[in-house]
Amino acid sequence: MFKKTPKEPLINVFYVTDLHGSQVAFRKFLNAAEAYGVDALICGGDVAGKQMYPIVPDKAGIQCVELDGRTHRLDSTEAIAEAKSAIGSRGGYGVELSQEEASALAKDETGRDALFTRLVQERLAEWIELAEERLKESDIRIYITGGNDDSVAMLQPLIDAGSDRVIASEDRLVDVCGYPMVSLGWSNHTPWDTPRETDEETLAAMLATAVGKVSDYERAIFNLHVPPKDSSLDTCAVLDTTKWPPEPVFVGGEPQTFGAGSTAVDAIIRERQPLLGLHGHIHESAGVKKIGRTTCINPGSDYTDGTLRGAVIALRAGSVKGVQRTTG
């Protein structure tokens, strides 16, 4: 009589990316642990929002904020709180300033950048605290990576936290329920001159260093913010960069598109053939693509209206048993 070898357990992970500061999307991300019954949560970059919304008193002393092309007068503490909540839901940062502070910042790019970085740091610290509180009774870990929009300074609260619940995943090899994962938030060049983008040659060297930490590629997860070039996970509008902000290019009334992903990412995936590639960056190009044996996923992002796009990924014995894209 032969004894049966015990089956390796099925592992379910939930992956999202490009939350861009959205308070609603992050809370939904935490709730997904119970909603989908997963064993781990993975959040790819970008975590930073896109915009500050100054709340400044008018001549009558009533606080005002510009939102959706309109000036909103906030005549009570409740109204201010509601405005900040609405702004936070879409990933922005509502910040109360005096008229003098607002005037000074309008002329001080360095000061604006410093304030924006501080606001990103504060929200990320709040997210870490919330995650630790919400999941303290479970065994679930959250793995977070920055993206090209996230400067090193913005990500400092994640690094400083030293949490065993919320894992800063970049520049290290981490274990996700028995699957080794490496992460890189840098991208190839974009029209937006973001904090962490570079040329393809440099990106290739960074990728080689990151994935060089892996000894078992058959079970490896490559959490790389930018998708592979021309993979269908990277299709976006061609932009006219002679204008600011850049505008979509139309020919014969039809928008022109191209693959904005990275040739370096494509090359490293084809060479090393990990089990799984987790990507984002191109919000409008959600999908699942096989590159050789590697299952590559971009769940997409609709953070501005608080919608959370994600993917539940089922893993067993070094193989991908299924991918279920989610919207909620």
Side-chain angles (χ1 to χ4, degrees):
M1 182 180 293
F2 295 96
K3 290 184 178 180
K4 289 185 178 179
T5 302
K7 270 192 174 182
E8 188 173 320
L10 185 71
I11 298 296
N12 290 299
V13 300
F14 184 65
Y15 172 62
V16 303
T17 185
D18 295 276
L19 297 184
H20 283 293
S22 171
Q23 297 279 52
V24 171
F26 185 76
R27 283 168 171 76
K28 288 180 177 180
F29 173 54
L30 293 182
N31 291 339
E34 182 176 357
Y36 298 119
V38 298
D39 301 289
L41 299 170
I42 302 174
C43 178
D46 296 309
V47 298
K50 294 281 192 180
Q51 190 172 350
M52 290 186 295
Y53 293 84
I55 300 173
V56 182
D58 61 14
K59 292 180 180 179
I62 302 297
Q63 298 279 55
C64 298
V65 64
E66 295 286 336
L67 197 59
D68 297 330
R70 294 174 50 211
T71 299
H72 298 259
R73 301 184 85 224
L74 312 173
D75 56 4
S76 67
T77 55
E78 291 79 9
I80 293 171
E82 288 175 7
K84 284 185 174 180
S85 177
I87 290 166
S89 294
R90 64 176 63 189
Y93 304 95
V95 55
E96 295 183 63
L97 301 171
S98 68
Q99 289 183 341
E100 292 75 15
E101 288 171 328
S103 296
L105 283 173
K107 305 170 187 175
D108 180 8
E109 183 177 358
T110 300
R112 291 196 304 274
D113 289 345
L115 175 58
F116 185 75
T117 295
R118 178 172 64 80
L119 294 171
V120 174
Q121 291 173 333
E122 288 174 355
R123 183 161 300 169
L124 181 55
E126 290 171 6
W127 284 4
I128 294 168
E129 183 178 357
L130 180 63
E132 291 177 334
E133 174 63 27
R134 289 273 188 92
L135 300 174
K136 64 182 178 182
E137 301 299 330
S138 76
D139 294 325
I140 293 173
R141 299 291 183 267
I142 299 178
Y143 302 84
I144 299 182
T145 304
N148 61 295
D149 277 340
D150 305 318
S151 70
V152 173
M154 291 174 184
L155 296 171
Q156 200 61 45
L158 181 62
I159 298 165
D160 291 344
S163 172
D164 62 357
R165 174 78 56 189
V166 183
I167 312 298
S169 302
E170 204 159 358
D171 296 326
R172 59 191 296 205
L173 177 68
V174 298
D175 180 274
V176 181
C177 303
Y179 292 83
M181 184 174 79
V182 289
S183 305
L184 187 68
W186 284 73
S187 80
N188 51 323
H189 284 305
T190 78
W192 312 106
D193 191 26
T194 57
R196 297 202 301 167
E197 58 184 62
T198 188
D199 59 84
E200 290 283 3
E201 183 178 358
T202 304
L203 187 58
M206 297 171 77
L207 287 164
T209 298
V211 307
K213 299 178 175 71
V214 177
S215 59
D216 181 4
Y217 289 108
E218 289 194 359
R219 296 177 68 90
I221 301 171
F222 285 8
N223 180 20
L224 310 177
H225 184 59
V226 65
K229 173 74 172 173
D230 295 328
S231 60
S232 77
L233 305 178
D234 66 329
T235 305
C236 64
V238 175
L239 297 177
D240 180 357
T241 56
T242 65
K243 302 176 181 179
W244 189 260
E247 296 179 357
V249 173
F250 289 82
V251 175
E254 293 293 325
Q256 301 302 290
T257 61
F258 79 118
S262 165
T263 56
V265 170
D266 180 72
I268 202 78
I269 287 175
R270 292 182 186 277
E271 176 189 342
R272 306 298 173 96
Q273 289 287 276
L275 175 64
L276 195 60
L278 302 180
H279 312 284
H281 190 52
I282 309 299
H283 301 181
E284 63 270 39
S285 201
V288 180
K289 174 77 172 183
K290 289 283 282 190
I291 298 180
R293 72 176 293 270
T294 306
T295 300
C296 294
I297 302 166
N298 178 359
S301 174
D302 280 330
Y303 72 93
T304 53
D305 62 4
T307 298
L308 182 68
R309 295 191 178 275
V312 178
I313 307 159
L315 307 173
R316 174 177 278 158
S319 63
V320 178
K321 293 302 182 182
V323 178
Q324 178 63 55
R325 288 165 53 199
T326 65
T327 302

